[in-house]
Amino acid sequence: YTFFNRYFSESGSIYFRYTPIYQNVYEKVYTDDKDVMLFWKTHMLYYVKTDRLFKNLEVDVDDVKFFFDVSTLEHKKANEKRAIIYELKGKRNDGVIAFNVLYSERGRKTKINDILRDLRKEGVTITEDTLEEAFRVFEKQSEVDYFINKNAKEFLQEQFNIWLYQYVFSGESEWTEKRIKQLQVLKDIAFKIIDFISQFEDELVKIWNKPKFALNSNYVITLDRIAEKNIELIERILKHEGFENQVKEWEELGIIDAKFDKSKILENALLSKQLNKRYQYLPIDTKYFKDLELEILGLFDDLDNSLDGWLIKSENYQALNTILPKFKEKVQTIYIDPPYNTGSDEFIYTDKFKHASWLTMLLNRLTLAKEVLKDSGNICISINENELYNLKHIMDSIYDSSNYLANFAIKVRHDKRILKGDKDVHEVIEYLLYYRKSAKHIIGKIEKEDSSIEEYIWQVNELKKPNLVTDLGGKKTEVFNPGEFELIQCTPDRKNLKRINIRGSIRQGNSSGRFYVKYLEQDFEKSSGYLFKVYGMGNDDLGYRYFYIPNQSSGRKNGDYFQGIPINKEKIKKIPYPNYLDMVDDFNRTGYEGPKYFGSGKKPESFIHKLITISNNKQNDLVLDFFLGSGTTTATMQKARRKWIGIEMAEHFYTTALPRMKEDLAGQGNYEPCGISNIVDWQGSGFFKYYELEQYEDTLRKVKYEDSNLFDNPYQDPYNQYVFMRDLKMLEALEIDYESNKVKVDFSKLYSNIDIPETLSNLLGRWIKKITPDYVEFEDGEQINLKDLDYKVIKPLIWW
């Protein structure tokens, strides 16, 4: 009992729960090639979640007795922060006021005023302060971490040997033969118990790591993507009974206004119909058109490669583990903004871990995430000083310190913290750790892809502030003195140019397509020309292009236009990026007039956009964020023409992230005041999939176990009898057809709305090419029959 008491926490997790220093529990802290390693007591575990173990409780406040009933309180899934709410049951015969305790769903809150009114009807008059104090007392119950030990048998046997060794050498000076035999019997019994209990832990490991079913999937696609394939299909969508619900959603999202006219979506053009450009980016959600979904998907010969992204509702470890076969070494850039472990009430995840719990959570997920990165890939992690140094240690252990690239300092404002007065000194800096996966690839090196591109090469003598900063049709424009630049090579390129008026809006160029800039109030006679950095021009990574305005002649008047020569910005040699990113400037550059602070770890779209400019990320490269939050990363990547994966477990997946993506596809890009829509001239269009994943807790509730007598054979090693071998687990999905001697698969016995093609795609690691009612075809040409599924294919999902 003394031994096992040290290693079992109150949540049932097996690890170093109680290790006072005098008991000298040692761990290997170095290896042959590393003389310093970071050790923490939960490193050998899978972190599952942090939750409060609420128990029925009677509370006495101001001589009023309250009773809180948690019998209907279902433990939360994963690690989402969820509020507790209270439902009045009524006044009991003994005068105690009873409440049911529930977790909030979809923003539901405790109705204090209604409770006080109902109590007055029962003759109980108490104040709001008394009621809230009772709630606070109840909520002070213990918070616990849930873990699963990766190898409980090995861990406990090792620790028992250490414990027994210490016991022997710190106890009696002499041992009798009888006592030594007793200790050997004690060890044999302890190892049998370890064999027995480790089977339960091993079963949890298997459930935690089993591939998960894809559930409740739908697609979102804009009308232009459908129209370019089959305009008639849009006519059928407009006539569909689900279209009314789709219109209602557009109204709620603010995508359409009162002037919306369904009949004007399609226009007559000569002998055919065409899509009205005003409505071309309206996003269709296939949940309203399930009977047309396969027909819509059938428009695309290579379905997965036609998607812009995947939005996945799931706890992030289980999501990464499930999609790993499909996206292994496919991702170019990972950006995450995990909880900083500050205890912030505004953060949607639990944000007050023990340091060891936080480290284990990140280590589990970052180790998996490395597997989805390309060899040339990179990862950026936002963090503040709370866990910066711990995070650096685990990133060095995963990626190797040789692949550490930079620790960017990010300028932020903490006005809220200053007003709160909780510190004498206030931080204005957060950080961005930046690693590459492999030293074989140089991050930031720009290689010329097309030798036929005509270019200008400029040498910057020194980095200076521009002489003039002005608006260019609402776009930020910086004008530099030519003395700062030396023209090394000059080959004109007059392709795809526009006409710009410094004091007005962007206008289309003349028939020759040349780019012109209206005369500035400066003396061109004394200058060889000016270099313009114009935001909002072109489709390049940074959302701006450089133009050189030479002094071609004198005597220009205000209002005249000068020909601008486009410059390939990749060939402008300049001082490398400093390890400093200014988020506050992102607001300023986009004309935002509001307060300049970032709360709850929020990052602006323009900040995310900066990251891809320093990470060799090109159009159609895949970007992953598995702490998605409100969806800033996926929204930014959609506009920057990257492919993306967003993983989010919280309820605001449906209330914030998904609606935001629909708004972005519709061209309603300014979700944030610091959005990049204006910078990249975002108009709309897109095609993505969203779905949920089966969760660890879902499996625990579905799995079927039978009673088993482990000790039928006391002479056989209990571990080899394997207590769970006789159990059904999730085999109820299988039926044996004795007439045909075949095994049939019926997933409806497990979950409704299983997306079998996506489930198989994740499981087998193959991208989907085509889905039909009868089969799914993968990129390698293999077809799997969906109506007569081979149970061997899906065995890992239901039996482990």
Side-chain angles (χ1 to χ4, degrees), residues 54 219 251 262 482 627:
F54 289 115
Y219 295 80
E251 290 172 346
K262 166 184 170 180
F627 284 96

Side-chain angles (χ1 to χ4, degrees), residues 242-275:
F243 189 71
E244 188 175 330
N245 287 328
Q246 181 66 84
V247 171
K248 185 178 179 183
E249 179 186 271
W250 291 338
E251 290 172 346
E252 291 171 350
L253 292 174
I255 292 174
I256 58 174
D257 55 26
K259 296 179 181 178
F260 174 74
D261 185 348
K262 166 184 170 180
S263 65
K264 293 185 179 179
I265 290 179
L266 293 176
E267 300 175 322
N268 291 318
L270 297 176
L271 300 176
S272 63
K273 291 193 178 259
Q274 68 179 20
L275 190 60

Side-chain angles (χ1 to χ4, degrees), residues 183-407:
L183 291 176
Q184 185 59 53
V185 172
L186 176 69
K187 180 177 178 178
D188 290 343
I189 294 172
F191 273 40
K192 285 186 184 295
I193 295 172
I194 289 172
D195 283 345
F196 179 67
I197 61 178
S198 59
Q199 289 190 61
F200 290 86
E201 198 76 356
D202 288 350
E203 186 74 1
L204 294 180
V205 168
K206 291 174 182 176
I207 294 174
W208 179 248
N209 283 321
K210 97 168 184 74
K212 303 301 191 292
F213 285 101
L215 310 170
N216 303 318
S217 68
N218 297 290
Y219 295 80
V220 178
I221 182 170
T222 48
L223 290 178
D224 65 308
R225 298 282 183 102
I226 299 174
E228 67 184 17
K229 301 283 186 181
N230 185 347
I231 194 82
E232 276 120 20
L233 187 51
I234 291 182
E235 289 188 89
R236 293 172 58 196
I237 289 173
L238 298 179
K239 296 175 183 176
H240 194 278
E241 61 182 1
F243 189 71
E244 188 175 330
N245 287 328
Q246 181 66 84
V247 171
K248 185 178 179 183
E249 179 186 271
W250 291 338
E251 290 172 346
E252 291 171 350
L253 292 174
I255 292 174
I256 58 174
D257 55 26
K259 296 179 181 178
F260 174 74
D261 185 348
K262 166 184 170 180
S263 65
K264 293 185 179 179
I265 290 179
L266 293 176
E267 300 175 322
N268 291 318
L270 297 176
L271 300 176
S272 63
K273 291 193 178 259
Q274 68 179 20
L275 190 60
N276 185 337
K277 289 189 175 181
R278 181 181 177 186
Y279 297 127
Q280 63 181 330
Y281 300 135
L282 288 176
I284 294 292
D285 189 329
T286 60
K287 73 178 181 179
Y288 301 119
F289 311 94
K290 292 309 281 187
D291 56 333
L292 294 179
E293 183 177 76
L294 288 181
E295 196 167 345
I296 293 172
L297 303 184
L299 299 174
F300 301 91
D301 296 329
D302 194 353
L303 181 58
D304 272 348
N305 277 309
S306 300
L307 294 175
D308 298 319
W310 293 260
L311 206 57
I312 304 170
K313 186 178 189 301
S314 171
E315 187 277 329
N316 49 19
Y317 178 90
Q318 292 165 91
L320 289 169
N321 188 57
T322 297
I323 69 174
L324 176 57
K326 179 170 183 172
F327 293 102
K328 186 177 177 65
E329 298 181 351
K330 294 284 201 305
V331 173
Q332 177 61 31
T333 300
I334 294 173
Y335 169 70
I336 59 170
D337 188 9
Y340 291 176
N341 212 13
T342 61
S344 170
D345 288 335
E346 297 176 4
F347 206 84
I348 54 173
Y349 297 94
T350 298
D351 195 28
K352 192 176 182 181
F353 296 91
K354 300 179 184 71
H355 288 290
S357 302
W358 189 90
L359 277 167
T360 299
M361 178 191 71
L362 265 293
L363 178 67
N364 295 161
R365 287 143 186 82
L366 289 169
T367 302
L368 268 179
K370 182 182 179 182
E371 298 300 309
V372 303
L373 276 179
K374 289 181 178 179
D375 205 34
S376 61
N378 47 82
I379 179 169
C380 309
I381 308 176
S382 287
I383 198 67
N384 75 354
E385 72 286 346
N386 271 47
E387 296 289 358
L388 170 64
Y389 304 105
N390 286 333
L391 179 61
K392 177 71 167 60
H393 276 298
I394 63 173
M395 288 297 289
D396 283 348
S397 71
I398 298 170
Y399 287 87
D400 194 88
S401 58
S402 64
N403 288 315
Y404 164 75
L405 293 173
N407 180 21

Side-chain angles (χ1 to χ4, degrees), residues 542-647:
L542 294 178
Y544 58 73
R545 295 178 69 182
Y546 287 93
F547 295 90
Y548 175 63
I549 312 299
N551 180 17
Q552 296 179 337
S553 63
S554 61
R556 301 280 183 174
K557 299 178 181 179
N558 186 18
D560 288 351
Y561 289 87
F562 288 80
Q563 181 176 335
I565 305 171
I567 301 162
N568 186 337
K569 61 116 182 135
E570 293 183 349
K571 295 300 179 181
I572 294 178
K573 300 176 182 178
K574 58 183 177 178
I575 296 173
Y577 281 90
N579 287 10
Y580 179 82
L581 299 175
D582 190 343
M583 287 206 305
V584 176
D585 178 63
D586 288 335
F587 274 128
N588 294 337
R589 185 158 65 82
T590 50
Y592 179 56
E593 305 264 333
K596 307 296 189 293
Y597 62 79
F598 296 83
S600 309
K602 179 179 179 179
K603 302 293 186 292
E605 289 181 358
S606 48
F607 170 78
I608 306 297
H609 196 224
K610 278 184 179 181
L611 298 183
I612 65 171
T613 71
I614 60 174
S615 60
N616 267 8
N617 198 292
K618 301 179 179 64
Q619 286 190 20
N620 293 320
D621 276 349
L622 191 54
V623 177
L624 165 66
D625 185 344
F626 52 90
F627 284 96
L628 184 61
S630 63
T632 301
T633 302
T634 53
T636 307
M637 294 306 105
Q638 181 71 29
K639 296 169 187 176
R641 297 171 178 85
R642 269 66 174 172
K643 290 184 180 292
W644 48 265
I645 306 169
I647 298 170

